[in-house]
């Protein structure tokens, strides 16, 4: 899958980043990527509107969150020359997903227990020949994703998607 940023979609990449930072104020890092359909010329679109109920406005989410996304997207789209319309060429949806993950790391313990050399230089317990061991750490975390989708209203096809991924802390 190739990721490109072309023309008017550049602002949406910035928008995804801004919202990801707002949603994940406590997160240490945010990874942002976007993808545009290779056969689509974004300059052919002039109008947009939102899905009647975006993914962030379902029963598990506050309508306030949806309004924040609508306001920010309206601002970014108008700066790029798009007009909001009742008969839009593009429909925009915002959704959020989260997934619990586990990271397991196993590594060689570098500590050598005070060994010494015995008869004719052979190693005893704790020497480099017998010392050390392995350590394992387990880290549980939640990875969240914010998706902004742009759908061609006439073709009913996804033409652009921005995704911000971050770890909730």
């Amino acid at each position: 899958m190739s990721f490109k940023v072309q023309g008017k979609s550049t602002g949406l990449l910035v928008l995804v980043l801004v919202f990801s930072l707002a949603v994940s104020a406590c997160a240490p890092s945010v990874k942002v990527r976007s993808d545009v359909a290779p056969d689509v010329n974004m300059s052919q679109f002039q109008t947009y509107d939102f899905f009647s109920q975006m993914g962030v406005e379902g029963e598990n989410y506050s309508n306030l969150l949806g309004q924040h996304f609508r306001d920010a997207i309206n601002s970014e789209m108008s700066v790029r020359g798009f007009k909001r319309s009742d008969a839009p060429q593009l429909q925009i949806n915002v959704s959020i997903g989260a997934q619990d993950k586990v990271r397991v790391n196993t590594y060689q313990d570098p500590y050598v227990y005070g060994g010494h050399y015995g008869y004719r230089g052979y190693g005893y317990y704790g020497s480099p020949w017998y010392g050390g061991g392995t350590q394992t750490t387990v880290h549980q975390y939640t990875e969240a994703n914010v998706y902004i989708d742009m759908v061609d209203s006439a073709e009913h096809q996804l033409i652009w998607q921005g995704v911000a991924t971050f770890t909730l802390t």
Side-chain angles (χ1 to χ4, degrees):
M1 173 179 263
S2 67
F3 293 99
K4 302 180 202 174
V5 177
Q6 296 178 333
K8 294 180 182 179
S9 64
T10 304
L12 290 175
L13 179 62
V14 172
L15 178 68
V16 169
L17 177 61
V18 168
F19 273 114
S20 299
L21 291 175
V23 171
S24 65
C26 298
S29 67
V30 178
K31 296 176 188 166
V32 178
R33 64 186 189 278
S34 70
D35 191 17
V36 64
D39 58 338
V40 172
N41 178 4
M42 291 297 289
S43 65
Q44 71 184 357
F45 301 102
Q46 290 87 35
T47 62
Y48 75 97
D49 202 0
F50 298 93
F51 280 55
S52 60
Q53 182 178 5
M54 294 190 303
V56 294
E57 296 172 323
E59 60 187 56
N60 294 327
Y61 301 102
S62 164
N63 286 338
L64 184 60
L65 181 60
Q67 191 57 49
H68 285 302
F69 276 104
R70 287 175 191 267
D71 291 344
I73 291 171
N74 279 331
S75 175
E76 291 295 322
M77 294 295 277
S78 67
V79 165
R80 281 151 186 76
F82 289 96
K83 303 289 182 214
R84 196 158 175 195
S85 170
D86 291 334
Q89 295 170 309
L90 295 172
Q91 290 183 300
I92 299 175
N93 186 35
V94 179
S95 58
I96 298 175
Q99 184 176 16
D100 291 329
K101 293 196 169 193
V102 176
R103 181 180 303 126
V104 178
N105 293 321
T106 301
Y107 55 92
Q108 182 69 35
D109 188 359
Y111 182 74
V112 177
Y113 303 96
H116 61 278
Y117 292 99
Y119 181 69
R120 296 189 186 183
Y122 291 103
Y124 286 99
Y125 177 77
S127 71
W129 290 284
Y130 298 108
T134 59
Q135 295 290 326
T136 301
T137 60
V138 178
H139 177 69
Q140 295 178 332
Y141 62 99
T142 301
E143 183 178 271
N145 297 299
V146 176
Y147 301 93
I148 298 179
D149 299 328
M150 297 179 81
V151 176
D152 182 334
S153 297
E155 300 293 325
H156 302 289
Q157 290 183 333
L158 180 66
I159 61 165
W160 185 91
Q161 182 178 62
V163 182
T165 302
F166 51 93
T167 302
L168 296 178
T169 57

